[in-house]
Amino acid sequence: MDREHIALFVDGLFGALSRTGATSFEQFGQKWQANVARLARELSRGRIRTRKSMAVTTRRLLLSGLAAVPALIEAPTERHHHS
């Protein structure tokens, strides 16, 4: 990803998070359902360029995470048999 996409993603995410009113992850988690709904609303209100960039970046992050799943679920005995 280029710097512009990363910057738009980070700015958009943290801007929306700050508008939920939560000042910590603990506070966000205490009312997580309401805060997730508020976060989604705030993200949808962002500039179109930011929303598009966030959608592309989120998709890339999810696909990257999914690509890592096979290594994460590999049987532990297969990973430690090299002794």
Side-chain angles (χ1 to χ4, degrees):
M1 287 187 282
D2 60 36
R3 288 183 185 265
E4 181 182 8
H5 276 97
I6 294 169
L8 287 170
F9 179 81
V10 171
D11 289 347
L13 180 60
F14 281 96
L17 280 170
S18 72
R19 290 187 296 277
T20 66
T23 58
S24 68
F25 286 115
E26 181 181 358
Q27 193 178 47
F28 186 88
Q30 289 172 350
K31 296 180 182 179
W32 70 270
Q33 291 172 320
N35 284 327
V36 166
R38 189 175 299 138
L39 179 62
R41 245 186 343 268
E42 290 297 332
L43 288 172
S44 71
R45 292 179 181 161
R47 294 183 326 198
I48 191 142
R49 183 170 173 232
T50 302
R51 288 194 326 253
K52 284 182 179 181
S53 179
M54 289 191 73
V56 168
T57 302
T58 300
R59 182 175 185 274
R60 287 179 179 169
L61 288 170
L62 289 173
L63 290 174
S64 176
L66 288 174
V69 168
L72 294 173
I73 60 174
E74 180 182 309
T77 55
E78 292 176 21
R79 282 189 266 162
H80 298 293
H81 262 252
H82 302 302
S83 304

